[in-house]
Amino acid sequence: MALSRVFARGTRGLASQAAAAGAAAAPATVRLPKSEKKRVVVLGTGWAGYALTKALNPRTFEVVVVSPRSQMIFTPLLASTATGTLEFRSIAEPLRYTCPHVKFQRGKAQSLDPDNKRIRVRAERPGAPDSAAAAADQGVDLPEPPESLELDIDYDALVIAVGARNTTFGVSGVAEHALFLKELSDARAIRRTIIRNFEMASFAGTSEEDRERLLSFVIVGGGPTGVEFAAELHDLIRQDLSWQYPELVAQVTIRLIERGDVLGAFDQGLRDYCRTRFARQGIQIVRAQVTEVRSGELELESGRTLKFGMLVWSTGIAPRRLVSERIGPEFRKDGWGHIVVDSYLRAEKHSDHIVKLATPDEDHQSAPDPDSAAAAALRSKETLSGVFAIGDCAAVEGRRLAATAQVAEQQGFWLAGAMNKNPEWAIGAGKDWLPGDGFEFQHKGSLAYVGSFTSVSDFTKVDAKAMEAVKGTTIRGWASFAVWRSAYLTKLGTWRNRLLVPTDWMRTFIWGRDTSLF
């Protein structure tokens, strides 16, 4: 009896909590209190936003960071986490740990109001999973999860650094049947899929046809991400899974699909070396274009069909929804949808909002054609006051800068330095002062792992404006592998990560990768 009374009391308690949660589910909009310091709002925790956030002077600025991701990911090593060479947390740098002075708001920007210098942020309120599970077990119906909270944030300076998303180039079926490699969640999904496929292929009841499909791994995209993942996958299979699933190794196929040449931005000699290494390792390079993806198979432009157990799509990026849909028409964009910025990384106004074409003069002569050179000369390239854009979501006018971590990080550090020098310029007030000649990209080299403890390093100098190689040095093989690991180890932002990563490397070298499925 006592036990039943306790159970009934607990059930009523859960029901009352559910009712209270339902009553409080109405959406609410609040405003973030502002300090006396000049407030810089940073959208994004990627390479650009994180570099800026770390470098801004907290004594001068109140820094507010808005992002759905509370950590910065060291993306060059993301492929290593997808295969178990590194653990996921080893390449994550939590913002609250590295930048405790920052006000972090976990959410997504929904709208921008440059005229009133305000943004609206939406955060999904977490439910109570433990209570929900208990209530379900006891037959108590909980209401739907509470609606989103919205927050208005006023700013003095706004830096848009939201990066970019994966794009499918309109190929049917990619979003439904492919995996991507851009976030830690992507790497975790890939790692689970690899082990799950091997476990299913080793199941006694699996047919030979299904086994062949499960052990077929396809990577679309021959850039550094695709090449490095193919190489890491080869290492995982040959160094660890080969003795755990000895009966399956001979049936494994790894295919890398690229319409052009692999590592197209690298020196030609390094591209040739990569193709040679892949051929020796049994990684097939397919020069083709994917036209359609279906469940378990894809079709190439030639009509050839390839079956797969896992498809990783690592080619192409596109603007995020904030940039493509939610920002106002006052922002100027290029043909690919990026926010156009000047050499000082200030967001430019759209011409429709700043141009007034000459009206007919007193002699009733006609105004210039809006598309003519004369009309173009009348346009003033004004910028939005206190609004900047950096990283993959931005395009510097007159320059061709690749969407790489190097470019994004250098832009973040440069902009932070300029803001620290003149806070009035940062908020759009100091118009008579400019930070030198503007941002200039300095190419530090390109690295790519190609498997079996070898890599390629391209230190060819690049013309920052034309993004064309001029001259320089290239390294390949074991020596390049040492450079690759050393460079990435020194680029990790905290000593915590600089200790975790080599520890993972040593653990993998001695005991192998963890192939547990959980």
Side-chain angles (χ1 to χ4, degrees):
M1 290 293 292
L3 182 61
S4 63
R5 286 196 298 271
V6 171
F7 177 80
R9 192 181 304 118
T11 303
R12 288 194 297 271
L14 286 169
S16 62
Q17 290 178 16
T29 301
V30 296
R31 180 167 293 180
L32 185 69
K34 192 175 183 300
S35 71
E36 296 180 356
K37 298 179 183 178
K38 295 178 174 61
R39 173 181 284 174
V40 178
V41 175
V42 183
L43 304 183
T45 52
W47 283 92
Y50 186 66
L52 175 86
T53 300
K54 287 197 304 181
L56 282 174
N57 187 349
R59 293 187 295 272
T60 304
F61 298 107
E62 176 196 11
V63 184
V64 178
V65 176
V66 176
S67 175
R69 190 176 71 187
S70 62
Q71 67 279 340
M72 186 271 187
I73 305 301
F74 193 81
T75 50
L77 292 176
L78 192 58
S80 297
T81 67
T83 57
T85 305
L86 299 176
E87 288 305 314
F88 304 113
R89 296 186 186 276
S90 297
I91 66 167
E93 298 183 11
L95 188 69
R96 294 186 185 275
Y97 174 80
T98 57
C99 304
H101 62 281
V102 168
K103 291 183 178 179
F104 176 72
Q105 300 295 306
R106 188 172 182 270
K108 292 184 178 181
Q110 299 298 306
S111 61
L112 277 60
D113 184 358
D115 293 332
N116 295 309
K117 289 197 167 186
R118 182 177 303 148
I119 67 169
R120 175 158 293 184
V121 177
R122 177 176 297 171
E124 295 298 325
R125 292 178 60 183
D130 295 337
S131 299
D137 289 341
Q138 298 171 12
V140 178
D141 292 329
L142 287 178
E144 291 297 318
E147 296 184 17
S148 301
L149 283 174
E150 291 190 341
L151 175 69
D152 284 343
I153 303 178
D154 297 307
Y155 65 83
D156 296 302
L158 173 67
V159 182
I160 306 171
V162 295
R165 61 178 176 84
N166 295 293
T167 182
T168 65
F169 298 108
V171 177
S172 173
V174 174
E176 295 81 5
H177 306 295
L179 298 173
F180 300 95
L181 188 52
K182 197 169 181 63
E183 304 287 346
L184 280 179
S185 57
D186 298 329
R188 187 165 53 244
I190 289 172
R191 191 161 160 182
R192 285 179 53 86
T193 301
I194 294 170
I195 305 304
R196 185 192 62 199
N197 283 14
F198 270 85
E199 289 293 344
M200 193 62 192
S202 68
F203 188 71
T206 302
S207 67
E208 198 62 33
E209 181 181 356
D210 284 343
R211 184 175 291 110
E212 180 181 347
R213 177 185 57 79
L214 286 167
L215 298 176
S216 175
F217 300 93
V218 177
I219 302 102
V220 178
T225 301
V227 167
E228 291 195 327
F229 175 68
E232 292 278 5
L233 178 60
H234 163 269
D235 287 357
L236 167 65
I237 293 171
R238 299 303 171 187
Q239 296 170 10
D240 295 283
L241 301 183
S242 59
W243 59 270
Q244 298 179 30
Y245 306 89
E247 74 284 2
L248 301 179
V249 175
Q251 301 180 57
V252 174
T253 59
I254 303 175
R255 295 186 178 94
L256 179 68
I257 300 177
E258 171 59 46
R259 185 177 185 181
D261 201 359
V262 294
L263 298 179
F266 282 63
D267 175 78
Q268 183 62 52
L270 299 181
R271 285 181 254 169
D272 296 339
Y273 178 81
C274 177
R275 287 195 302 271
T276 301
R277 291 296 306 176
F278 274 18
R280 291 178 182 175
Q281 295 171 152
I283 302 174
Q284 303 175 27
I285 298 177
V286 181
R287 297 284 292 270
Q289 183 176 351
V290 178
T291 57
E292 184 180 0
V293 177
R294 298 180 289 272
S295 177
E297 66 177 15
L298 59 83
E299 186 173 324
L300 304 178
E301 57 185 347
S302 63
R304 179 186 175 190
T305 299
L306 296 177
K307 295 186 179 297
F308 62 83
M310 183 182 75
L311 171 65
V312 175
W313 191 272
S314 63
T315 178
I317 57 174
R320 294 192 183 274
R321 287 185 61 189
L322 174 67
V323 176
S324 62
E325 301 175 15
R326 292 173 180 162
I327 66 173
E330 59 269 23
F331 284 83
R332 182 185 169 200
K333 300 180 186 178
D334 67 4
W336 289 271
H338 303 101
I339 299 173
V340 177
V341 297
D342 64 7
S343 59
Y344 301 98
L345 307 181
R346 300 175 297 187
E348 295 186 357
K349 283 186 179 180
H350 192 282
S351 58
D352 291 345
H353 291 259
I354 62 176
V355 176
K356 291 184 178 180
L357 295 178
T359 55
D361 57 24
E362 296 179 356
D363 297 329
H364 303 288
Q365 294 177 348
S366 61
D369 183 339
D371 296 325
S372 68
L378 293 173
R379 293 187 174 95
S380 173
K381 293 180 180 177
E382 294 182 18
T383 58
L384 295 167
S385 177
V387 180
F388 304 83
I390 55 178
D392 294 352
C393 68
V396 181
E397 185 175 22
R399 303 186 190 180
R400 295 170 51 201
L401 297 176
T404 64
Q406 274 191 64
V407 173
E409 184 181 48
Q410 289 186 31
Q411 287 181 338
F413 282 134
W414 183 91
L415 182 57
M419 288 180 163
N420 290 336
K421 285 181 180 178
N422 192 336
E424 294 300 320
W425 174 83
I427 66 175
K431 295 185 178 181
D432 295 332
W433 180 87
L434 290 175
D437 297 327
F439 171 74
E440 290 290 343
F441 172 62
Q442 301 294 326
H443 183 63
K444 304 295 184 181
S446 300
L447 311 172
Y449 181 63
V450 295
S452 301
F453 304 104
T454 62
S455 71
V456 292
S457 304
D458 188 353
F459 297 104
T460 304
K461 293 183 179 179
V462 175
D463 186 314
K465 293 184 178 180
M467 287 303 293
E468 295 178 352
V470 180
K471 60 180 180 179
T473 304
T474 61
I475 311 173
R476 67 194 73 181
W478 284 73
S480 176
F481 175 71
V483 172
W484 178 79
R485 282 204 165 176
S486 300
Y488 285 165
L489 186 60
T490 57
K491 286 296 293 180
L492 290 166
T494 64
W495 284 105
R496 167 185 172 273
N497 294 77
R498 292 173 190 171
L499 179 62
L500 289 174
V501 167
T503 301
D504 286 349
W505 282 335
M506 184 62 67
R507 170 190 53 79
T508 298
F509 182 77
I510 298 175
W511 291 290
R513 298 164 179 83
D514 182 7
T515 57
S516 303
L517 182 61
F518 55 86

